[in-house]
Amino acid sequence: MKNLISERVADFIKNYPPFNVLDNTSLFQLAEQVIIVYKEKNSIIFTVDENQHSHFYMVHKGAVTLNNPATSNILDYCDEGDIFGLRPLFANENYKLEARAHEESIIYGIPIDLFKPIAKQNEQVTIFLMESFASNTRNPYAKSQKGQLYDIEDNEEINKEVVLPDLQLASYSKKLITCSTRTSIQKAAELMTKKQIGSILVVSKELPVGIITDKDFRNKVITGKQPITASVKTIMASPVITYPKNLTITQAQMAMMKSNISHLVITEDGTPNTAALGILSKHDLMVSLGDNPAVLVKAIKRATRTKKIKQLRKSIMVLLAGYLEQNIPLGIIAKIISELNDTCIKQVVEISINKMGSPPPVKFAWLALGSQGRSEQLLHTDQDNALVFEDVPEEDLPKTTTYFLELSKHVTKALNVIGYEYCPADMMASNPKWCLSLQEWKNKLSYWISNPGPNEVLMSSIFFDYSLAYGERSLLDNMSDHIFRTVDKYPIFLVHLANGALQSPSPTGFFRQFLVEQDGQHKDFFDLKSRALRPLIDAARVLILSHSVKAISNTWERYEKLAELEPNNKELYLACSYATKALLKFRTKQGLSHHDSGRFIELEQLTKQEKMKLKRTFKAIKEIQELITLRFKVTNILG
């Protein structure tokens, strides 16, 4: 009779090292003897100096931390599939660390006496376990992350001193044209003419030994110093200057200036001892500089047609992908991309005004709402915007409104052309509901705040994340002042806004299983926006509004400000700031990879490490929602 529990254990452990290299017989023999341990949150698995257990452990569900109680430091974080407690396998001594359930967990205990002979018969298993024990980490293949709760690549603090000009990788030509040292100058020239190139690489035994450029022909052949029948060896520049493929634009510029050359050879390890991958010329460098933020800003401002801006936005996406690939802190990336996007919008408005045939009758402001208003819109998503114009006499209001509605239609159409989809809910300035005079906006805002039903709270939550994209800032400031004055008069609004912030579905269920969509187009996908990002965004909004803080709409900047205002909650707010950036970075990478908004994630396509990164942000979501529930006493209005 089959043992279903043992089969399930075997099916799980075979996916993780070192069990993934065992034969089926050994695997099932081991699975039959595995003990299953349930641990509540914060319960101890073993303590420092505790006698050795007869098992070492593997996390099946939940998470376990390895701690040094003397310093209160978390030295490692073990998630699903990670092993820990290996000391009894190698050393006849008590435990040196404490193992504690970081959350409700199910753990497999693998019997040491049964496992030792299996490990001895398998060299790969032995090496893995020895390296894991020696490096004091559950995975010796990730030693650089030992003792780090968050991965280095997501740590904003490490990269604070980054200088922007050094960020971009230089693009080089991978279509190599080569010749040998014995090739004649004439044949080399004919080959360069045929291929329409300005340089040719000279190789010996497939390794780069020299390079010839048009300049060499002018200085050494046309002048008569060398006949065209001589070999290229007589005129080539040697040795070649080589660099690895991850060369930045600034490094390339410095290298060319230092050696007074116009070409660099790119090799696998950056030395002449490996085969060439390509050649980087000054021309390539100028092309790379076309994706420089400062150059792009100038090009956008010079654009007189919407289609030109559309082309330039493609360069912005190239820039974004490059920054993510180089692991630049998201705070820096967001500022650069948001500034470029704002420049695009400003130019679109300018072009649209020119199409109107007459200038605006009064001052106005074009407002970016939602993710764009928070400077968090990195990918091409839908547009959320509004327009506010100066108050005019009542008799002039219809005519003035008509002008700005027509202008808004030009702008939203142009934004659609350059890559912003129309808002499905029609929350755009081309909708008369979102194109109003200052007084009309004040009346609408007052109504939302004083009559906070579900729809009014939803409208408020969208509108309160706004920034000036174009026009008169005083109009924006006037609206902000009105919002805070009205909220002070109707404090119950904050309770309703807090209630709205708690309506997002939970990211995980029992034992931290991802909760996925149950039906519809995205069935079995994880909704990163609704289940992870939105709860953090909504919480930051209501908390910052409760402090009457103006002019901060970005979510992580809101949390950083809250950390200043509430030192007792500083750790939680900074964790929420980190989580927001980590989730947005993850969504952006997914969107670029799949050419979509990155909102819906197919979990089967994620690596274990990616799943771990996501889950590490969920603790902050849970805790910030608990804080809101207590602070605003939301349960009083729930029914």
Side-chain angles (χ1 to χ4, degrees):
M1 184 175 176
K2 289 185 177 180
N3 186 331
L4 293 179
I5 294 178
S6 297
E7 286 187 358
R8 289 177 182 174
V9 171
D11 284 342
F12 179 80
I13 66 175
K14 71 181 181 182
N15 295 313
Y16 303 97
F19 310 104
N20 57 337
V21 297
L22 298 182
D23 59 73
N24 287 336
T25 302
S26 298
L27 191 68
F28 281 101
Q29 181 186 357
L30 199 61
E32 287 177 350
Q33 301 301 318
V34 165
I35 63 169
I36 301 174
V37 182
Y38 168 78
K39 287 290 182 180
E40 293 184 351
K41 182 178 178 179
N42 289 325
S43 59
I44 299 294
I45 297 138
F46 54 75
T47 60
V48 175
D49 290 330
E50 183 178 334
N51 290 334
Q52 298 177 356
H53 294 191
S54 57
H55 299 75
F56 68 96
Y57 300 98
M58 182 180 205
V59 181
H60 175 54
K61 301 286 185 185
V64 171
T65 56
L66 301 180
N67 316 298
N68 182 352
T71 60
S72 300
N73 288 338
I74 295 177
L75 300 179
D76 208 356
Y77 182 100
C78 302
D79 212 312
E80 295 160 17
D82 289 332
I83 57 174
F84 64 97
L86 292 172
R87 186 161 293 276
L89 268 172
F90 298 100
N92 185 26
E93 57 187 20
N94 296 341
Y95 293 105
K96 300 296 185 184
L97 297 175
E98 172 193 87
R100 182 186 293 268
H102 189 61
E103 54 196 55
E104 195 175 24
S105 302
I106 292 177
I107 300 164
Y108 289 161
I110 295 96
I112 291 172
D113 288 342
L114 181 60
F115 185 77
K116 272 186 176 179
I118 294 175
K120 286 181 180 179
Q121 295 169 13
N122 193 309
E123 185 179 1
Q124 287 178 272
V125 173
T126 303
I127 291 172
F128 178 90
L129 292 172
M130 287 182 67
E131 289 189 355
S132 186
F133 175 71
S135 63
N136 194 30
T137 177
R138 82 280 186 188
N139 188 348
Y141 305 146
K143 292 179 187 175
S144 62
Q145 297 168 25
K146 185 179 73 173
Q148 292 170 2
L149 184 59
Y150 300 117
D151 289 338
I152 284 177
E153 69 179 68
D154 288 324
N155 192 332
E156 300 280 329
E157 299 301 316
I158 291 174
N159 294 293
K160 274 189 173 178
E161 300 303 319
V162 171
V163 180
L164 287 180
D166 280 329
L167 302 186
Q168 289 175 259
L169 294 179
S171 298
Y172 59 90
S173 174
K174 298 176 183 178
K175 295 181 179 180
L176 276 175
I177 305 299
T178 64
C179 68
S180 73
T181 54
R182 297 188 301 273
T183 303
S184 71
I185 294 173
Q186 183 176 359
K187 285 187 177 180
E190 290 171 352
L191 184 58
M192 289 171 64
T193 302
K194 180 181 178 182
K195 298 292 184 180
Q196 294 184 322
I197 54 175
S199 64
I200 188 168
L201 189 65
V202 182
V203 297
S204 176
K205 298 179 181 179
E206 298 185 354
L207 298 180
V209 294
I211 189 169
I212 301 171
T213 66
D214 288 334
K215 184 179 178 181
D216 294 313
F217 287 111
R218 290 196 306 271
N219 294 344
K220 300 173 184 177
V221 181
I222 297 177
T223 56
K225 292 181 180 179
Q226 295 291 340
I228 60 173
T229 54
S231 70
V232 293
K233 193 173 182 178
T234 60
I235 65 168
M236 69 181 186
S238 181
V240 291
I241 307 298
T242 57
Y243 274 85
K245 57 185 177 182
N246 59 347
L247 183 68
T248 68
I249 290 175
T250 299
Q251 288 173 324
Q253 288 175 315
M254 295 299 291
M256 289 181 182
M257 288 170 60
K258 180 180 177 181
S259 302
N260 193 27
I261 55 176
S262 58
H263 293 75
L264 300 176
V265 178
I266 308 300
T267 64
E268 188 63 46
D269 65 357
T271 75
N273 301 320
T274 52
L277 301 175
I279 292 179
L280 174 64
S281 67
K282 277 188 177 179
H283 174 75
D284 296 325
L285 216 49
M286 293 307 296
V287 172
S288 295
L289 281 169
D291 289 333
N292 179 281
V295 175
L296 279 172
V297 166
K298 290 180 181 178
I300 293 167
K301 287 181 176 180
R302 287 196 300 265
T304 56
R305 297 172 65 246
T306 305
K307 289 183 179 179
K308 178 62 177 176
I309 299 176
K310 180 180 180 180
Q311 295 171 356
L312 291 167
R313 285 207 82 215
K314 292 179 182 178
S315 296
I316 296 175
M317 290 299 101
V318 171
L319 197 68
L320 173 61
Y323 285 169
L324 288 171
E325 185 179 342
Q326 295 169 76
N327 205 31
I328 305 307
L330 191 81
I332 294 176
I333 295 175
K335 279 183 168 59
I336 296 171
I337 302 301
S338 294
E339 182 64 34
L340 288 166
N341 286 337
D342 286 349
T343 304
C344 288
I345 294 171
K346 288 175 184 175
Q347 195 63 17
V348 161
V349 176
E350 290 280 5
I351 292 171
S352 299
I353 290 174
N354 291 335
K355 288 182 178 179
M356 292 293 292
S358 62
V362 292
K363 293 179 180 178
F364 75 99
W366 185 273
L367 308 182
L369 309 179
S371 60
Q372 190 176 339
R374 295 190 302 271
S375 298
E376 295 166 17
Q377 190 182 64
L378 302 181
L379 297 169
H380 289 184
T381 55
D382 61 324
Q383 48 179 299
D384 294 305
N385 44 59
L387 187 146
V388 54
F389 56 87
E390 278 184 321
D391 291 327
V392 295
E394 189 173 345
E395 62 270 20
D396 293 335
L397 184 58
K399 182 179 178 181
T400 307
T401 301
T402 299
Y403 177 94
F404 284 113
L405 274 174
E406 186 180 346
L407 172 63
S408 297
K409 288 174 183 176
H410 282 300
V411 176
T412 53
K413 181 180 179 180
L415 289 175
N416 179 255
V417 169
I418 70 172
Y420 291 104
E421 295 293 329
Y422 289 118
C423 175
D426 201 20
M427 292 180 183
M428 299 180 293
S430 52
N431 181 339
K433 294 179 181 179
W434 297 87
C435 179
L436 304 170
S437 69
L438 179 60
Q439 188 58 51
E440 287 176 318
W441 270 119
K442 287 181 178 179
N443 295 341
K444 185 185 285 280
L445 290 163
S446 295
Y447 179 79
W448 287 344
I449 296 169
S450 60
N451 299 275
N455 189 57
E456 286 74 23
V457 170
L458 175 61
M459 294 298 100
S460 301
S461 65
I462 294 169
F463 195 86
F464 288 172
D465 294 344
Y466 59 73
S467 64
L468 180 68
Y470 180 95
E472 186 66 27
R473 176 163 294 279
S474 63
L475 294 170
L476 193 73
D477 294 339
N478 201 319
M479 289 174 65
S480 296
D481 291 339
H482 178 78
I483 287 171
F484 287 111
R485 283 196 303 269
T486 312
V487 169
D488 284 342
K489 288 171 60 178
Y490 298 95
I492 188 65
F493 171 76
L494 289 176
V495 181
H496 286 271
L497 196 62
N499 181 35
L502 298 174
Q503 300 308 304
S504 298
S506 173
T508 55
F510 196 55
F511 288 129
R512 299 199 318 150
Q513 290 296 303
F514 286 94
L515 290 180
V516 297
E517 302 306 291
Q518 297 300 308
D519 49 38
Q521 179 184 355
H522 300 289
K523 186 177 184 296
D524 296 328
F525 281 67
F526 180 73
D527 188 344
L528 187 68
K529 177 182 176 180
S530 293
R531 294 187 182 272
L533 273 167
R534 186 176 290 157
L536 290 165
I537 293 166
D538 290 347
R541 182 188 302 113
V542 66
L543 287 166
I544 207 74
L545 192 60
S546 70
H547 282 282
S548 297
V549 174
K550 304 174 186 177
I552 301 180
S553 57
N554 178 269
T555 301
W556 56 84
E557 289 179 357
R558 282 173 167 172
Y559 279 121
E560 287 163 9
K561 183 63 177 179
L562 288 166
E564 292 178 22
L565 296 171
E566 300 178 33
N568 56 317
N569 291 315
K570 179 178 179 180
E571 185 176 344
L572 171 58
Y573 290 143
L574 292 181
C576 289
S577 174
Y578 164 82
T580 305
K581 286 183 277 190
L583 287 166
L584 184 58
K585 190 173 187 178
F586 186 87
R587 178 181 177 177
T588 305
K589 285 183 174 180
Q590 289 289 311
L592 289 171
S593 174
H594 295 95
H595 306 290
D596 58 21
S597 70
R599 174 175 178 174
F600 293 98
I601 308 298
E602 189 174 4
L603 295 174
E604 297 295 323
Q605 300 298 318
L606 300 186
T607 64
K608 179 175 179 293
Q609 187 182 29
E610 288 172 331
K611 290 178 183 178
M612 284 172 59
K613 285 183 184 180
L614 280 180
K615 286 183 178 179
R616 286 174 188 172
T617 66
F618 296 164
K619 183 173 182 286
I621 296 172
K622 181 181 179 182
E623 291 183 357
I624 197 66
Q625 290 191 322
E626 289 173 351
L627 182 147
I628 287 176
T629 302
L630 291 172
R631 177 167 301 183
F632 297 99
K633 300 180 175 58
V634 188
T635 50
N636 293 343
I637 65 169
L638 294 176

